[in-house]
Amino acid sequence: MPHARNRNPSPIPEVTWDTGLKEMNETWKGAIACLGVAVFFVMTIGIIYWQVVDQPNKNWILRGTLSGLIWERRTHSLVIQTLNEDTTYVEIDVGNVGNPDVEVPFVRNLCWLNKTEFCYTWDSVAEVKISLEVNEETESECYSMSWTPVHCHVQLKVRLRSEIAHVISLEFGVALLVSPEIPIQMGLDSGEQICLQSLPSMERLPLQYTVCVGHNVKAAHLEAMQQLSLHSRELPNMKTMRLPFWKLLTSVDSGPKVERELRIFSNRLRRHQLGEGVISLNEHSTTLLYDMDHDYLNSRRRGMSKRLTRDFPLVKLLNISITLSPFLGVDSTQFHSSLVDGTETYWLSVPSNPQGQMVPILSQWHGRFCVKLNLTNPAAVSWFLDRVGSLQALLGMEYILLEGAEGSALEEQALRTQSLSGDRYISLLADLASRIENTIVTAGTQSSHKPLFVRMPPLQSDWSSMGLKGIIPSLLHHTLMGYNFLIPDAVGGSLSEDPVTDEELFIRWLEIVAFLPVISFHTPPWVCGEDRVLNITRRYIARHQKTVVPLIETYAEEWQLTGRPIFRPMWWLSPDDPMTFTIDDQFLIGDEVLVAPVVERGAVHRDIYLPDGGFQWQDSLTAQVFDGGTLLLDYPVALEEVAVFLRRS
């Protein structure tokens, strides 16, 4: 049998080839592995470098047509800036929401498909959602921000660093709107940052607010008011503006003595030819008159002697304003009766223990221990309205001043679980007041659309910013918030119970309020003892009735249709003029009358700035005409006069 031929002529056995191939594969694998580790290491270093060193300091999150929202990683802030980044509107310190020690190099918008919303979860502490709304009509943009805690018992705090904490902010136009439904704390810290902080709660209550920006302050304001104007606006009784209000200063202790003081005061008004007016009674005098008439009617029903008949027409023939409040003294018969007949739920109460009965909260009002009307109880509201109806029948009063809406910190703490914390009680009292004809309130929140007059806060009887100089800033604050139908503090100030004896202060105060909706007096002009003061008072009351009231009525119709304020700051006509931003001693009535009163003691000259808008201004006294944008230095204004300029096209 022949031998088989060797198919592998190579002297090297096949096993040798196989072994060599395996050794080469292992070597290459090691080299490739080393190369992969090196590449991974380089990529890691690159990513770290990009995130920490080379990554841009900012990344845009939202963009509008005027502004955009930026994440500023080095300062841990969300920043609203103009698109060219030359102006910062608001900087929101996010470090106060999450952990400021945790580096957040890049913020990714989790609302992928929506270019007008930003969603993110901050350090497992809070979820944030920001919505951008562009209003082309007002040339403004609003960022609605909602921070919701991930867990219960989490307090959220954000700081808004902006020019909105400074007067100069008017150049940029920033408005901050805080949600009234969510209980929060708000204030300014030492760095003049606006701080918003949620309150601890068993619920995951969000921290909500809106920042509106515009190309100037007027645009931002118009947008903010559009956000707030959720209701149709109603006009109050405009006849209220035509009569001055005279406060009856008396400390008598019985109804007959109140009547006697009313008769004396009414006769003095007629004797000094001050015309018809409204005589204002405080709550104590109101109660004395009511008790007297109530007791009289009860006695007549029991058939007692007609000798007890009293002169009802005296009070009913006078224009009377009475004062009421939601408080009731704990020593009163009505309160004791409520504890007996089971109507103690008429008063704000808290449970004595988790399963215990409700116990009325004790408050203080005008130095007395009182309970406060529970406005969430329909039966309590009906009881109060019945009481008003009874007063109307007995006294025939024209107006009601409803005061005492403002709560106390202790009261709010006790009522936090009853949905009455914060401004809720003020809002409910305004609702109640709007059901009563010709009512004046002392506080309001989200109630500027209601047919009510609002009494401005009382001021000191001096020339300071808490006195005379505070009238115009307070006026502009109220009207820009939508409250135009105002009763300013009484001529000369009313914080002190003593009459004002400073003649110059009295006159200068009168000159300001004569151009406001209602003139009110705490000190009668005859107290000053000179005929000149009486003559000036008569003249300004007549000017108010003949000139100012018709002008206010005209702009009241515009307010009802558009929401634009009746009384306006200087920047309203020149929103891009920095000269108008800090003027707080002049005001406009509509767009056609500029009032520049004197607010410095002893001054008979003052500087007056006439805003520019392509028109001229004419002095109503001298008929001189000036171009808009003119600064009148040391313009003469005599003691008995007030500088008034009329706009000319």
Side-chain angles (χ1 to χ4, degrees):
M1 179 176 232
H3 295 285
R5 293 183 63 182
N6 189 354
R7 296 182 180 180
N8 186 3
S10 172
I12 304 175
E14 290 185 8
V15 66
T16 305
W17 283 98
D18 294 339
T19 304
L21 181 60
K22 290 179 180 178
E23 289 177 355
M24 289 178 64
N25 287 342
E26 291 297 333
T27 302
W28 279 103
K29 287 180 180 179
I32 292 173
C34 291
L35 180 61
V37 171
V39 170
F40 177 77
F41 181 75
V42 171
M43 289 179 63
T44 303
I45 296 297
I47 291 173
I48 294 174
Y49 177 83
W50 177 75
Q51 287 189 337
V52 178
V53 179
D54 195 44
Q55 181 187 355
N57 186 45
K58 304 176 181 179
N59 65 282
W60 287 85
I61 296 171
L62 297 175
R63 288 179 186 264
T65 58
L66 170 70
S67 65
L69 183 66
I70 298 172
W71 166 243
E72 183 84 52
R73 69 184 183 91
R74 289 180 183 169
T75 59
H76 281 235
S77 301
L78 291 170
V79 182
I80 301 176
Q81 288 187 335
T82 52
L83 294 180
N84 58 11
E85 302 183 37
D86 64 345
T87 299
T88 295
Y89 291 108
V90 177
E91 182 179 346
I92 304 167
D93 185 0
V94 177
N96 290 286
V97 175
N99 186 348
D101 298 326
V102 175
E103 178 67 25
V104 185
F106 190 86
V107 170
R108 179 181 300 172
N109 189 355
L110 301 181
C111 294
W112 294 100
L113 302 178
N114 195 330
K115 294 184 178 181
T116 61
E117 288 189 347
F118 165 69
C119 306
Y120 194 77
T121 300
W122 232 274
D123 194 27
S124 300
V125 174
E127 298 171 350
V128 61
K129 183 174 183 180
I130 301 176
S131 301
L132 171 61
E133 181 180 348
V134 178
N135 190 328
E136 296 180 357
E137 180 183 350
T138 59
E139 298 181 345
S140 58
E141 297 172 351
C142 288
Y143 296 81
S144 298
M145 307 190 180
S146 178
W147 302 79
T148 304
V150 175
H151 309 288
C152 298
H153 300 292
V154 173
Q155 279 186 283
L156 300 178
K157 182 177 182 180
V158 296
R159 299 177 186 270
L160 287 81
R161 184 183 301 105
S162 168
E163 298 298 338
I164 55 178
H166 304 78
V167 177
I168 196 65
S169 67
L170 298 176
E171 181 179 356
F172 306 124
V174 180
L176 173 64
L177 308 175
V178 181
S179 174
E181 287 79 19
I182 305 298
I184 63 171
Q185 294 174 332
M186 179 176 178
L188 281 174
D189 66 6
S190 57
E192 294 189 348
Q193 299 177 102
I194 295 179
C195 301
L196 302 177
Q197 180 172 321
S198 63
L199 300 176
S201 173
M202 293 291 291
E203 305 175 42
R204 294 171 56 228
L205 295 178
L207 180 62
Q208 295 178 339
Y209 56 94
T210 299
V211 178
C212 295
V213 300
H215 63 90
N216 59 42
V217 62
K218 185 177 180 181
H221 171 76
L222 290 174
E223 176 59 35
M225 294 311 296
Q226 224 175 72
Q227 296 271 335
L228 293 174
S229 300
L230 304 177
H231 307 276
S232 59
R233 289 169 285 272
E234 299 180 65
L235 293 174
N237 184 356
M238 304 300 279
K239 293 181 180 179
T240 306
M241 297 189 294
R242 297 193 172 272
L243 298 179
F245 279 63
W246 303 89
K247 186 172 183 179
L248 180 66
L249 298 178
T250 181
S251 57
V252 296
D253 56 2
S254 69
K257 291 180 181 178
V258 173
E259 278 198 324
R260 184 189 63 198
E261 294 294 325
L262 275 170
R263 182 181 290 106
I264 294 172
F265 192 80
S266 178
N267 290 336
R268 280 187 175 179
L269 289 176
R270 286 195 295 269
R271 186 166 67 249
H272 291 295
Q273 301 175 2
L274 289 167
E276 191 178 4
V278 179
I279 303 177
S280 301
L281 302 177
N282 60 23
E283 190 173 11
H284 178 64
S285 296
T286 300
T287 302
L288 291 176
L289 279 180
Y290 174 76
D291 289 344
M292 179 178 66
D293 285 348
H294 192 267
D295 292 343
Y296 165 74
L297 287 179
N298 287 339
S299 65
R300 288 298 303 271
R301 291 190 187 101
R302 292 193 299 267
M304 296 183 67
S305 171
K306 291 185 179 181
R307 287 182 299 175
L308 295 175
T309 301
R310 50 180 303 278
D311 187 15
F312 278 104
L314 170 65
V315 177
K316 291 192 175 183
L317 288 177
L318 297 176
N319 290 316
I320 298 294
S321 168
I322 66 170
T323 302
L324 296 177
S325 76
F327 292 95
L328 184 68
V330 295
D331 57 350
S332 65
T333 304
Q334 294 99 318
F335 176 65
H336 286 218
S337 299
S338 70
L339 298 179
V340 174
D341 59 23
T343 57
E344 67 273 9
T345 55
Y346 283 13
W347 321 113
L348 293 179
S349 306
V350 292
S352 57
N353 55 62
Q355 286 78 34
Q357 67 179 41
M358 302 297 286
V359 177
I361 299 173
L362 203 61
S363 303
Q364 271 203 323
W365 177 246
H366 293 325
R368 298 175 61 201
F369 287 108
C370 300
V371 289
K372 196 171 184 180
L373 190 69
N374 182 5
L375 295 177
T376 64
N377 184 340
V381 172
S382 296
W383 171 83
F384 188 86
L385 291 174
D386 289 344
R387 184 185 177 202
V388 172
S390 178
L391 282 164
Q392 177 68 48
L394 291 174
L395 304 180
M397 72 281 182
E398 292 289 331
Y399 303 94
I400 295 175
L401 172 63
L402 189 55
E403 58 183 10
E406 305 86 343
S408 64
L410 184 62
E411 179 182 296
E412 290 183 11
Q413 181 73 22
L415 296 172
R416 187 167 293 166
T417 59
Q418 301 183 32
S419 302
L420 275 175
S421 60
D423 295 334
R424 179 65 176 156
Y425 195 91
I426 299 176
S427 179
L428 289 175
L429 194 65
D431 291 342
L432 173 61
S434 64
R435 298 171 63 179
I436 306 171
E437 190 175 358
N438 297 341
T439 305
I440 303 159
V441 294
T442 58
T445 177
Q446 293 187 294
S447 56
S448 61
H449 61 285
K450 297 183 182 297
L452 301 169
F453 274 83
V454 177
R455 190 184 71 181
M456 293 169 64
L459 296 170
Q460 296 176 359
S461 300
D462 57 31
W463 298 80
S464 71
S465 58
M466 299 299 294
L468 177 67
K469 289 181 183 176
I471 300 175
I472 297 176
S474 181
L475 165 73
L476 296 178
H477 169 76
H478 279 78
T479 59
L480 288 174
M481 293 298 294
Y483 296 90
N484 291 273
F485 302 100
L486 302 163
I487 299 182
D489 192 29
V491 173
S494 66
L495 274 180
S496 172
E497 290 298 324
D498 299 326
V500 178
T501 57
D502 186 337
E503 178 183 318
E504 182 187 3
L505 179 68
F506 186 95
I507 294 172
R508 290 303 192 192
W509 203 300
L510 174 63
E511 290 171 352
I512 297 176
V513 301
F515 291 88
L516 304 188
V518 176
I519 303 177
S520 64
F521 293 89
H522 176 78
T523 300
W526 58 77
V527 171
C528 294
E530 289 193 19
D531 290 339
R532 182 173 72 156
V533 176
L534 278 167
N535 290 333
I536 293 173
T537 302
R538 296 187 196 105
R539 179 155 60 92
Y540 275 103
I541 289 176
R543 187 174 184 178
H544 175 265
Q545 293 170 337
K546 295 177 181 178
T547 305
V548 177
V549 170
L551 184 64
I552 294 175
E553 288 175 338
T554 298
Y555 280 99
E557 295 177 3
E558 179 184 328
W559 168 81
Q560 190 175 21
L561 292 174
T562 67
R564 297 193 171 201
I566 297 174
F567 301 93
R568 303 167 182 177
M570 295 299 105
W571 52 256
W572 191 267
L573 293 180
S574 300
D576 298 310
D577 183 358
M579 281 288 291
T580 64
F581 296 163
T582 57
I583 298 175
D584 61 357
D585 58 358
Q586 302 176 192
F587 63 91
L588 299 164
I589 304 178
D591 285 345
E592 58 183 294
V593 176
L594 186 154
V595 184
V598 171
V599 295
E600 298 287 346
R601 181 192 290 272
V604 291
H605 296 81
R606 61 154 294 166
D607 296 344
I608 300 173
Y609 185 72
L610 306 174
D612 193 9
F615 40 78
Q616 295 178 313
W617 295 94
Q618 182 178 37
D619 188 326
S620 64
L621 186 63
T622 66
Q624 286 183 277
V625 177
F626 303 92
D627 292 331
T630 301
L631 176 60
L632 305 176
L633 296 173
D634 290 330
Y635 200 73
V637 186
L639 175 61
E640 298 182 11
E641 301 294 339
V642 57
V644 177
F645 292 82
L646 308 179
R647 174 178 163 177
R648 293 184 54 181
S649 301

